[in-house]
Amino acid sequence: MRILLVEDDTMIGESLREALRAQGLAADWVRDGRAADAALASERFDAVLLDLGLPQRSGLDVLRALRARGNATPVIVVTARDALADKVAGLDAGADDYLLKPFELDELLARLRAVVRRQAGRATSALVVADLRLDAATREVSRGGRPVLLSAREFALLEALMERPGAILSRAQLEDRLYGWGEELESNAISVYVHQLRKKLGDDVLHTLRGVGYYVGPAKER
Ligand code: CA
């Protein structure tokens, strides 16, 4: 999952970005409304965590402009403003959810999963492809009922592929999902994770199309 974090408070921004990355999420952080506009206009995110009180341009203006462009990326407004009028304005401007500071990280993560799940039209947090099962809420993976332990990155890569079984994701698309801006990335990182996943899951569920990308599900005829 790739998250855009819009937050002008350095302490909150830094700690939140690190916390999200520790969960295996790709988290990019911008500190003002114009930078948020630019990031949202040029990149695709799975969800946005949006502060309202921002330099340059308010979070509410960023949100209105995003929706006016027809961009339906899930947005959770995260702010200390607890006035009812601010909540209503945020939701009416197109926010999908609302979280008041200070908040618990677990609640933020659960709300993130919920908005992304709703966006994808899924009723539960579990992804199932044949006998392979991944639960984003409990972070458990199993194959044929047997639990499989994955690292945060392996989990994130498998999740990205299992969201759309059979769809081929290129190495660049997977890198976008797994890494935020400025994160160190070895050029062969994705193939290393794919190799590790095959060792743990068996070699018949995660497939490579040479020069194209990766997918999960039944092997495609070539
Ligand atoms: Ca702020």
Side-chain angles (χ1 to χ4, degrees), residues 18-55:
E18 291 322 303
L20 293 171
R21 286 183 175 179
Q23 294 288 319
L25 306 179
D28 297 320
W29 173 28
V30 293
R31 303 166 187 232
D32 66 67
R34 291 229 177 89
D37 278 344
L40 287 163
S42 62
E43 310 235 6
R44 189 197 153 273
F45 296 93
D46 295 295
V48 182
L49 299 175
L50 182 66
D51 184 20
L52 288 187
L54 292 168

Side-chain angles (χ1 to χ4, degrees), residues 113-127 133 135 137:
R113 287 193 295 270
V115 296
V116 170
R117 188 170 70 223
R118 280 200 294 271
Q119 175 86 348
R122 288 196 300 270
T124 72
S125 59
L127 299 173
R133 188 176 193 280
D135 192 322

Side-chain angles (χ1 to χ4, degrees), residues 5-20 29 51 78-80 101-103 108:
L5 169 60
V6 187
E7 171 62 68
D8 62 324
D9 182 304
T10 303
M11 266 180 58
I12 296 175
E14 256 171 20
S15 62
L16 205 45
R17 180 177 61 181
E18 291 322 303
L20 293 171
W29 173 28
D51 184 20
V78 183
T79 178
K101 295 171 186 167
F103 53 83
L108 174 68

Side-chain angles (χ1 to χ4, degrees), residues 25-196:
L25 306 179
D28 297 320
W29 173 28
V30 293
R31 303 166 187 232
D32 66 67
R34 291 229 177 89
D37 278 344
L40 287 163
S42 62
E43 310 235 6
R44 189 197 153 273
F45 296 93
D46 295 295
V48 182
L49 299 175
L50 182 66
D51 184 20
L52 288 187
L54 292 168
Q56 307 277 0
R57 194 168 196 212
S58 80
L60 219 45
D61 286 345
V62 170
L63 179 56
R64 287 195 184 105
L66 181 75
R67 296 307 187 221
R69 294 197 297 274
N71 187 322
T73 303
V75 173
I76 300 178
V77 164
V78 183
T79 178
R81 297 183 191 182
D82 56 358
L84 180 64
D86 287 322
K87 277 188 210 173
V88 172
L91 292 168
D92 279 347
D96 298 275
D97 202 354
Y98 206 107
L99 193 59
L100 293 178
K101 295 171 186 167
F103 53 83
E104 295 290 329
L105 182 64
D106 281 348
E107 181 177 3
L108 174 68
L109 293 171
R111 287 179 185 272
L112 266 178
R113 287 193 295 270
V115 296
V116 170
R117 188 170 70 223
R118 280 200 294 271
Q119 175 86 348
R122 288 196 300 270
T124 72
S125 59
L127 299 173
V128 178
V129 179
D131 65 348
L132 182 61
R133 188 176 193 280
L134 176 149
D135 192 322
T138 60
R139 303 191 66 76
E140 287 170 341
V141 175
S142 65
R143 175 104 205 255
R146 181 179 62 90
V148 182
L149 281 179
L150 301 182
S151 72
R153 297 272 201 219
E154 290 163 1
F155 185 95
L157 195 158
L158 186 64
E159 184 180 28
L161 292 171
M162 285 183 69
E163 280 170 0
R164 289 191 301 145
I168 299 159
L169 295 185
S170 69
R171 192 178 79 182
Q173 287 173 315
L174 287 169
E175 285 172 357
D176 274 355
R177 285 286 301 262
L178 267 64
Y179 295 91
W181 302 324
E183 277 194 277
E184 289 286 337
L185 169 60
E186 301 281 340
S187 64
N188 67 342
I190 297 297
S191 48
V192 169
Y193 291 130
V194 166
H195 179 73
Q196 290 165 351

